[in-house]
Amino acid sequence: MEAPVNDVKFVPPHQIEKQLSDIWESLSTTQTDGKNRRMRACLFNLILVTDKNARAAYIRGIAERVIEKFPSRILFVTIDRENKEDLLLTGVSVLNVKEAASDIACDLIECEVSSVSAVRVPFILLPHLLPDLPVYLLWAEDPILDNPLAYQLEKFTTRLIFDSESTSNLPLFAKSLLHHLEVSQCDIADLNWARTESWRTLLIATFRSTKRLAELHDTRTIKLIYNAKSTDFFCHTRIQSIYLQGWLAGQLGWVLKEFDVVSKEISFHYEGPKNQPIEIRLIPEEHPEVAPGSISTFELSTYSGQHFLFTRNPQASYQVTLYISSKETCEMPTQFLFSKGSIGQTLVKEICQRQTSHHYLQLLRFVAGLEGLSLC
Amino acid sequence: MSISSPNPLLESGQQTRLSDPCIIVIFGATGDLTARKLVPALYNLAREGQLSSQFACIGFARKPKSNEDFRAEMKKAVGDFSRVKPLDESFWQHFEQQIFYHISEFHDDEGYSKLKKVLEEIDVRLGTRGNRVFYLSTQPSFFTLIAEKLHKAGLIYDESQVKDKWSRVIIEKPFGHDLTSALALQHELLQYMKENQIYRIDHYLGKETVQNILVFRFANSLFESLWNNRYIDHVQITVAEDLGIGGRGKYFEEAGLLRDMLQNHTMQLLSLISMEPPVSLDANAVRDEKVKVLQALRPFGPKELESCCVRGQYGSGFIDGDTVLGYRQEKDVNPKSCVETFIALKLYIDNWRWDGVPFYLRSGKRLPKKSSEIAIVFKDPPGVLFQLAGKRNEPNVLVVRIQPDEGIALRINCKVPGPSSPTLPVKMDFRYGSYFGMAPPEAYERLILDCILGDSTLFAREDEVFNSWKLLTPLLDHWAKNSCPAFPNYQAGTWGPSAADEMLARDNRKWRLL
């Protein structure tokens, strides 16, 4: 099992609740001086399922960031596909909220199984879901792969969260999710979609007025620069850029004519409502100041000569400066702030929606049509 | 008799309940219930000073053993099963001197004659004054026989003749196996005793949270005003067990889940949560109101027998990660058994308060966890505020948790902090254990004490039992007439057959995930 945040106590499944109670009891009674005292909190149940590999630590990091903002009961399932034995290990611990001076902590129930034991996972988790609170399932594996466990867990899930980073075929991923929505009543979300939330909000804010919206409709070219520096567990760095441009094109009614890939740079060629051609280029660069896949620059030019440049501050990547200029004028730069380490906040905002986002659905339909699109 | 006349030593308004000296005789004393529940309950009552010091307990069973053997077995049982641990050794030394064992077959007249002598000797020695509780912890088939023998031996007093001492009989569930047999059993028992001497025990009624239902409803103005069809969408009552039938295959093959749990525990919860306020807390006043609810339950018509009743039987599956057998593979169970281990019902109470409000009941074995609760699901608020993208908020739910983790929870919708306004359901939770800082007394403690005190409020009256059977017997008859369903139809460790989900889905509702 991966290194836990706190010491994991391995216990048989029937001891899980009792052991958690004992831990909380000790935290509330032994810390009489108030130091290290912890307050148990839970807003929802969050189930995370991942294979035992390098990405497990990354998925665990997501859980930690979520609970920074929204303490919840974490049920972390790791599947060891290399292990051919009948492995089933369960453990409990308390996961601390890392924010300074916080005395909030929450339950962490861990379960490691081999492939042959995976069938038992729903039976292990079901008794430990806290009633009356939503159940969110983060399915960190590629939904293209047939996985009966996902369908079992989905039955008691409020919302299913996928991570498109896990797929090697984005169009198939999109088709799989669309099919999922047809056959299931479960709402869905995608981590990469959630990651683009700050940029979407920024574009909405910038082009809110009638004048600005008209300029947006007059788009000629867009250039998106993203951090293509991959890591062991995050290598499909194009996805957020594909999502952002696809969302923008979809909402503005642009029709995709073709796309091409030249030396890792993707160009999408659209036709606007007035039959005007629009080109969007996704340019990979290395920007270590931002997370892999994050968009560092968004540059938009219109037919009438307007120019919008959104660029992150290399010293403080959560700061975005907007420069607006035309042939005649140059406006004072405007600064925007993305929330720091925002995945926890944006993810929760995303999963708290009471339906699958219509915009995301539209994006999925767009992506499903990108046959032949490579992610690497 | 319990002290009820004005006593200058008692302060008015203080609830002091003093129990009479008495002897409790447990029939079937070598059974599980005696070791796990009854003797630990007596030990705790005595230890907490709730019993008179002039008290004794006699175990009545056919297995040969001495007083010492029985005491040693009970000492181990109390050590293992008492809610208060560890065993108080010095107290036990004293307590065990009041425990005895009597060997006899249930049908043996001589055994009862000898019992009478033993009881009289103890009366003299311990001052128990002739007061008796006979606890029938036996197979139901022995109830009438034991009552007859006790009567014949003069151990059940005729209350019209005997005024200075009392005798009471506690009868374990099930009381009959259908309406006809319940009526017959009652008829037989009344030949030997009066109705007010019969205490039909349902241990659910002894649970603190169940007793708290009346306090919660009628001592708070907040909820009672909402307690009707104007605000309540539906009610769900769940009595779930993760255990299978254990070694009770033989019993369960005869009883099935309806008789074992639904007819008694679940129906009691239903009547308490839906009854009108009683005129007083007197036993008959409370039970009158419970009976009215049962009388108002809409009978199943031929259509409802199919559409509003689901039965299930567990197949093999997983509990706590371990593989468990299906019901048909359990010991002493017919491999082709059609006995139900799960039931879900949809009921209506046709009265002013509950008109149109469905009550969904479910009870089962080998469900994912042991959990009993009543959930009051409220209607959606009017208007369209805070209903994003056409989807409604989660409804408010008031949950009375019976076990485990006794308490009351209220689910409300709350704004997620931040500039945007999504809502999330959150839970306000009252837990007995956290608030009062002590384990509530075991149900059997309360009920045995109530019987000694002559308070029958928490025991089922004859008409409660009959009305419950009146509703459910047509269902049993319907099942008997029809062929066996495709059992097993749910996997051990799941929340029952899909047909139960479909029953609620037809009403656009869902079972709660507990």
Side-chain angles (χ1 to χ4, degrees), chain B residues 349-423:
Chain B
I349 299 171
D350 287 332
N351 64 14
W352 185 277
R353 186 189 288 264
W354 295 112
D355 184 37
V357 178
F359 283 71
Y360 298 102
L361 278 53
R362 67 175 160 170
S363 185
K365 299 275 185 190
R366 283 285 188 228
L367 300 183
K369 61 166 125 171
K370 182 182 176 74
S371 178
S372 298
E373 64 153 53
I374 303 169
I376 312 292
V377 183
F378 288 89
K379 290 183 175 172
D380 288 329
V384 292
L385 299 176
F386 308 116
Q387 293 180 3
L388 299 178
K391 251 196 170 176
R392 289 179 169 270
N393 287 310
E394 294 292 323
N396 294 135
V397 182
L398 181 72
V399 179
V400 180
R401 281 195 308 272
I402 313 295
Q403 67 176 12
D405 195 17
E406 293 89 339
I408 293 169
L410 179 63
R411 183 172 74 182
I412 53 178
N413 289 301
C414 183
K415 179 185 174 300
V416 176
S420 59
S421 297
T423 59

Side-chain angles (χ1 to χ4, degrees), chain B residues 188-255:
Chain B
E188 287 160 2
L189 290 176
L190 289 182
Q191 293 175 46
Y192 312 117
M193 62 191 87
K194 297 274 190 298
E195 166 63 18
N196 66 353
Q197 291 175 295
I198 303 173
Y199 288 72
R200 294 173 198 82
I201 197 166
D202 181 336
H203 72 268
Y204 257 58
L205 289 175
K207 291 179 180 293
E208 283 290 329
T209 343
V210 175
Q211 295 163 44
N212 194 40
I213 292 172
L214 295 189
V215 179
F216 181 74
R217 286 188 58 194
F218 303 127
N220 294 292
S221 55
L222 185 62
F223 299 107
E224 189 51 26
S225 54
L226 305 176
W227 219 256
N228 54 55
N229 59 2
R230 196 169 161 203
Y231 297 102
I232 293 176
D233 180 73
H234 71 280
V235 178
Q236 291 188 21
I237 301 178
T238 303
V239 178
E241 289 195 350
D242 56 348
L243 294 175
I245 52 158
R248 300 195 304 152
K250 205 171 169 184
Y251 160 75
F252 214 83
E253 278 286 275
E254 286 178 16

Side-chain angles (χ1 to χ4, degrees), chain A residues 14 120 127 131-132 187 354-355, chain B residues 320-321 389 391 423 427 512:
Chain A
H14 71 274
R120 289 191 272 172
D132 294 310
D187 292 342
R354 239 166 285 111
Q355 259 187 341
Chain B
D320 288 328
K391 251 196 170 176
T423 59
K427 196 158 79 166
R512 284 164 44 72

Side-chain angles (χ1 to χ4, degrees), chain B residues 316-334:
Chain B
S316 62
F318 301 96
I319 297 285
D320 288 328
D322 295 326
T323 308
V324 293
L325 295 174
Y327 176 72
R328 289 176 175 182
Q329 286 78 52
E330 301 269 19
K331 192 181 164 214
D332 295 329
V333 170
N334 179 348

